[in-house]
């Protein structure tokens, strides 16, 4: 088994018992084998002087398929953003364009210290994204988007209930658990207004029976909530609960407009909230009551969402934004840097059901970690390295990244993707896709 020795760094362990340690770390095979006193020899030695060593970020709400649309859907609110831009472009995807989009997204995230993500793809061609996850060494829980309702949905995204369920199950049976669980699958109904009651109820049953996650959107926009309430007589979270889409295996993206009753449901059912602060700001959707939900014991993690509604898949931006927004709402003492860091690491691991394997630096856990340089003009002198990481550091400060003990970024260079080839593919596929979608 290959070994890696990381010396002279400061470890930010995260997890419920977070520690800041001046210590070395040793990786044997896929796992962390020593912290503190480490063997003197290794296949690879990383000198982390001036750096912090952190568990890799776990982004709990991402759309790999949308990265190709970056900059093509600005200055719109959610429902118009979907109808006028995102759905037509998703419907125009081919396997080649989706592959380019996924490569760009995963390359960007790995370069920025993200080692795992919960992703929702589009209705078709999900296998192209899965192939990129597998080849790149990234860790992901991937879901095929499910949409069996909606009058304004493009033909390329319309599907029958049974066909949607059948294809989702096929992908789960084919891909779930590959490479010792690095590649996993989930059910991903888009949101309540694009899914029938029958589909949602069956997803709830199948997910429980098969032991996989459900990943969907909820209560992101007030118009969305009004539509759900008009159709069902229930507020969004209460409706999802009524059809079996709550629980410890469920992640609900956004949850901005949730009242006390709905927060009680989330807490009681142990449902995970997937917070996307930059997306919520850019779409003008609102600011989620994160502090209040955390006080109720609700698990809240962080994701960048899709590139067209945040423009960069950057965990540093999301940590900083999450903390600053809650301070603006409630006062400067709320949502500390450490809490934001834990949301971006350990809580993300909890959200995807892998906190026993990733999300903190502990002996025996998977070696998903990043080395971040804080010896920079914008981050020095960092008396509190957690504060420096959350409020001052940037994605470009990430120097080295390991996933499952494999070096995927070394000295800021991608090792499992060819960046020049990815960018060339992105330029070619973006031009072709926007032509197919009729978007200038």
């Amino acid at each position: 088994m290959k070994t890696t020795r990381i010396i002279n760094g400061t470890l930010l362990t995260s997890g419920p018992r977070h520690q800041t340690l001046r210590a070395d770390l040793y990786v044997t095979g896929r796992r962390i084998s020593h912290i503190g006193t480490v063997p003197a020899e290794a296949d690879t030695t990383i000198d982390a002087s001036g750096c912090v060593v952190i568990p890799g970020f776990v982004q709990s709400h991402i759309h790999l398929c949308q990265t190709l649309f970056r900059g093509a859907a600005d200055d719109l609110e959610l429902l118009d953003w979907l109808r006028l831009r995102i759905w037509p472009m998703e419907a125009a995807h081919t396997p080649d364009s989706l592959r380019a989009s996924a490569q760009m997204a995963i390359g960007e995230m790995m370069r920025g210290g993200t080692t795992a993500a919960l992703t929702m793809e589009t209705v078709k061609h999900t296998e192209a994204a899965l192939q990129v996850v597998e080849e790149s060494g990234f860790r992901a829980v991937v879901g095929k988007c499910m949409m069996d309702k909606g009058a304004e949905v493009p033909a390329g995204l319309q599907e029958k209930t049974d066909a949607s369920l059948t294809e989702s199950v096929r992908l789960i049976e084919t891909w779930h658990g590959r490479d010792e669980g690095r590649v996993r699958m989930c059910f991903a109904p888009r949101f309540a207004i694009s899914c029938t009651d029958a589909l949602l109820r069956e997803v709830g049953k199948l997910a429980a029976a098969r032991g996989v996650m459900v990943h969907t959107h909820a209560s992101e926009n007030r118009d969305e909530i009004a539509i759900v309430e008009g159709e069902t007589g229930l507020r969004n979270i209460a409706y999802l609960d009524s059809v079996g889409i709550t629980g410890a295996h469920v992640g609900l993206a956004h949850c901005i407009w949730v009242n006390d009753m709905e927060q009680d449901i989330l807490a009681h059912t142990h449902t995970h909230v997937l917070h996307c602060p930059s997306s919520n700001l850019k779409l003008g959707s609102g600011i989620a009551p994160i502090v209040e939900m955390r006080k109720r014991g609700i698990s809240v993690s962080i994701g960048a969402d899709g590139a067209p509604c945040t423009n960069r898949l950057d965990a540093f931006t999301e940590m900083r934004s999450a903390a600053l927004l809650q301070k603006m709402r409630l006062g400067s003492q709320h949502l500390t840097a450490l809490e934001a860091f834990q949301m971006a690491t350990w809580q993300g691991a909890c959200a995807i059901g892998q906190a026993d394997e990733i999300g903190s630096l502990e002996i025996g856990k998977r070696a998903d970690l990043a080395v971040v340089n804080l010896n920079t003009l914008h981050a020095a002198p960092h008396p509190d390295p957690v504060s420096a990481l959350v409020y001052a550091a940037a994605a470009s400060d990430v120097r080295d990244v390991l996933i499952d003990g494999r070096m995927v970024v070394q000295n800021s260079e991608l090792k499992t993707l060819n960046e020049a080839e990815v960018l060339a593919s992105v330029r070619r596929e973006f031009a072709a896709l926007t032509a197919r979608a009729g978007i200038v």
Side-chain angles (χ1 to χ4, degrees), residues 54-308:
I54 65 170
F57 297 120
V58 182
Q59 295 210 44
S60 58
H61 183 60
I62 292 288
H63 297 268
L64 301 178
C65 65
Q66 292 180 5
T67 315
L68 199 62
F69 318 154
R70 191 194 325 256
D74 291 342
D75 307 323
L76 294 166
E77 290 195 5
L78 175 66
L79 297 184
D80 286 340
W81 179 83
L82 287 168
R83 292 167 180 155
L84 300 177
R85 292 282 172 162
I86 301 306
W87 286 348
M89 288 190 286
E90 283 193 17
H93 257 312
T94 66
D96 286 343
S97 63
L98 186 50
R99 179 178 178 83
S101 189
Q103 286 178 324
M104 181 164 57
I106 289 172
E108 179 186 356
M109 285 192 287
M110 292 195 305
R111 281 271 299 267
T114 294
T115 56
L118 173 60
T119 87
M120 179 186 292
E121 298 315 302
T122 189
V123 169
K124 297 176 181 176
H125 315 307
T126 299
E127 220 133 25
L130 283 159
Q131 289 163 359
V132 176
V133 171
E134 185 173 54
E135 294 163 5
S136 66
F138 193 61
R139 187 181 303 279
V141 182
V142 181
K144 179 199 107 61
C145 184
M146 308 174 78
M147 298 176 69
D148 69 337
K149 189 179 79 172
E152 298 184 62
V153 175
L157 299 184
Q158 294 176 11
E159 54 181 354
K160 300 293 186 184
T161 305
D162 289 346
S164 182
L165 292 163
T166 298
E167 177 63 2
S168 294
V169 169
R170 184 192 72 80
L171 289 167
I172 289 166
E173 291 177 342
T174 304
W175 285 89
H176 186 63
R178 283 204 189 184
D179 195 20
E180 295 190 12
R182 181 174 61 80
V183 183
R184 303 190 188 191
M185 295 298 301
C186 65
F187 287 99
R190 187 154 216 142
F191 59 170
I193 63 177
S194 63
C195 297
T196 62
D197 188 88
L199 183 139
L200 292 172
R201 289 182 185 277
E202 191 62 20
V203 163
K205 293 174 186 175
L206 286 170
R210 292 178 173 271
V212 298
M213 284 193 67
V214 180
H215 177 201
T216 189
H217 302 84
S219 302
E220 180 179 0
N221 175 280
R222 282 177 283 196
D223 291 339
E224 164 209 347
I225 292 168
I227 292 169
V228 173
E229 195 161 11
E231 291 178 349
T232 70
L234 297 171
R235 284 184 62 87
N236 211 335
I237 304 301
Y239 172 64
L240 291 173
D241 185 51
S242 76
V243 295
I245 309 295
T246 51
H249 65 297
V250 175
L252 301 182
H254 304 299
C255 296
I256 299 169
W257 303 104
V258 286
N259 62 21
D260 286 343
M261 175 270 291
E262 291 174 296
Q263 291 184 44
D264 285 342
I265 291 172
L266 293 170
H268 176 72
T269 59
H270 306 290
T271 301
H272 299 274
V273 170
L274 320 176
H275 179 41
C276 305
S278 296
S279 168
N280 299 161
L281 287 173
K282 188 162 182 276
L283 291 173
S285 298
I287 303 172
I290 298 305
V291 170
E292 294 88 334
M293 288 194 280
R294 283 171 51 87
K295 282 181 178 178
R296 293 174 188 258
I298 298 167
S299 164
V300 183
S301 53
I302 290 178
D305 204 350

